Amino acid sequence: EKLAAVLSAKSIDAEIEVFHSTAAFLHQAESGQPFDLIFLDIYLGAENGYYFAKKLRGEHIDVDIVFITTTQDYAVAGYDVSPILYLVKPIQTEQLAYAIELFLKKHRPKQIILNLSGETISLNIADILYIEVYGHTTCLHLVSGESRKLRLPLNKLEQQLPSSVFIRSHQSYLVNMGHILSITRYQLTLSTGLNLPISQSKYLNLQNSFILHMKQQKLWL
């Protein structure tokens, strides 16, 4: 129930399944049922969750693991199976939320593949400062100061970029929130010192999205 509440609070659409034996989990995993994250108790009756995690890694079942237990006896040894986190009971809602944030951070996209004037390239998302459209031209501005023209309309490009990082500040601008220094009414300042306009209709959404983005960054540090 706590996990479902955390996922709901973060607007994450996910399915939760409970398994009372490792065999039941393996049966579904090996039959092609994909799992992204498991919360695995170290003590599973006659079984041991740590050794089961080693078995998963040995069989190359690609799933992230959060260990849950009443003791820290395996806290050091357990990390050879690369868990995201090690939680000691009783588990609090805040701890589950932190585990989910770490999982999201691990899988947050870091690069994007774009077609720039017929050339397909891979860019680090952090290197993108902002994107603007003028006339029929979409221009991508990098932190380095370089600019590239794109064939994609801004609306199409926006769909390819993670909404947790990029936000529309104006009909003509799509901005990387990681490079926003400040927001006023109705203007934002980027890390380069450049000021960009904020349209009245987008001000509140931009402000709220930026605050959420900053809170997530502080949690991940």
Side-chain angles (χ1 to χ4, degrees), residues 130-149:
Y130 72 100
I131 304 159
E132 68 173 322
V133 61
Y134 48 88
H136 297 289
T137 301
T138 300
C139 190
L140 184 148
H141 298 274
L142 302 179
V143 176
S144 64
E146 181 184 4
S147 297
R148 303 292 296 270
K149 293 182 179 180

Side-chain angles (χ1 to χ4, degrees), residues 58-188:
E59 296 186 8
H60 304 289
I61 294 177
D62 187 19
V63 62
D64 284 310
I65 298 171
V66 172
F67 279 130
I68 296 177
T69 188
T70 56
T71 176
Q72 297 189 26
D73 290 348
Y74 288 90
V76 176
Y79 279 95
D80 66 352
V81 293
S82 302
I84 287 180
L85 199 60
Y86 194 102
L87 300 179
V88 178
K89 297 178 181 179
I91 307 301
Q92 303 300 318
T93 300
E94 293 78 9
Q95 293 174 294
L96 289 173
Y98 182 58
I100 295 298
E101 290 293 351
L102 290 178
F103 171 77
L104 293 175
K105 177 185 177 182
K106 179 179 178 181
H107 295 279
R108 183 174 55 171
K110 296 180 180 179
Q111 292 186 316
I112 185 171
I113 297 175
L114 298 173
N115 186 290
L116 307 179
S117 300
E119 176 190 5
T120 301
I121 67 170
S122 176
L123 285 173
N124 290 325
I125 290 177
D127 291 339
I128 302 173
L129 189 62
Y130 72 100
I131 304 159
E132 68 173 322
V133 61
Y134 48 88
H136 297 289
T137 301
T138 300
C139 190
L140 184 148
H141 298 274
L142 302 179
V143 176
S144 64
E146 181 184 4
S147 297
R148 303 292 296 270
K149 293 182 179 180
L150 287 71
R151 291 182 175 180
L152 283 175
L154 192 58
N155 288 338
K156 293 287 186 181
L157 186 59
E158 183 177 10
Q159 294 172 10
Q160 294 187 32
L161 293 166
S163 60
S164 60
V165 180
F166 289 87
I167 187 76
R168 288 288 280 269
S169 65
H170 187 277
Q171 186 65 24
S172 301
Y173 294 96
L174 182 62
V175 183
N176 186 334
M177 288 186 284
H179 291 294
I180 295 178
L181 285 183
S182 63
I183 296 174
T184 59
R185 207 177 185 104
Y186 291 98
Q187 179 178 276
L188 64 85

Side-chain angles (χ1 to χ4, degrees), residues 6-23:
V6 167
L7 294 171
S8 177
K10 295 180 179 298
S11 299
I12 298 173
D13 185 15
E15 294 183 14
I16 301 174
E17 291 193 48
V18 178
F19 296 92
H20 298 288
S21 71
T22 59

